[in-house]
């Protein structure tokens, strides 16, 4: 069966380069990616699996990231030994 997909230019270029590195066609590269995803016991694109890895409340990295990184850094030096 023939299928048409649309990819962003950068993704298409990267995929073509990777296929060339592997010595296979772009179509074969795409087929292998689909097979790998479909055969995976936990699909790599499964949003629920990704959510399960994250604990706690969601945060905005742009708004909260500096504070979170600062707190993590400060906790490393809380005992004054470093």
């Amino acid at each position: 069966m023939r299928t048409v997909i649309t990819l962003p230019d950068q993704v298409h270029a990267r995929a073509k380069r990777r296929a060339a590195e592997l010595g296979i066609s772009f179509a074969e590269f795409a087929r292998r990616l689909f097979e790998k995803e479909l055969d995976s016991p936990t699909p790599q694109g499964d949003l629920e699996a990704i959510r399960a890895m994250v604990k706690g409340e969601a945060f905005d990295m742009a708004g909260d990231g500096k504070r979170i990184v600062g707190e993590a850094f400060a906790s490393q030096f809380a005992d004054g030994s470093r």
Side-chain angles (χ1 to χ4, degrees):
M1 173 172 265
R2 183 175 292 260
T3 302
V4 176
I5 61 171
T6 303
L7 298 171
D9 291 341
Q10 288 182 329
V11 172
H12 185 255
R14 290 175 59 206
K16 285 186 77 164
R17 278 194 302 272
R18 184 69 177 131
E21 289 170 5
L22 295 171
I24 59 176
S25 69
F26 175 80
E28 178 61 20
F29 180 70
R31 281 190 289 274
R32 289 182 185 186
L33 288 176
F34 278 106
E35 286 292 328
K36 182 178 178 181
E37 175 67 20
L38 294 171
D39 291 342
S40 174
T42 303
Q44 299 301 307
D46 183 73
L47 186 56
E48 290 306 315
I50 294 168
R51 285 184 182 144
M53 292 187 289
V54 180
K55 301 213 187 296
E57 295 181 32
F59 65 93
D60 173 20
M61 188 61 176
D64 298 332
K66 191 180 255 186
R67 177 185 54 78
I68 292 167
V69 170
E71 288 172 1
F73 184 78
S75 72
Q76 293 293 314
F77 298 98
D79 65 3
S81 62
R82 293 184 188 180

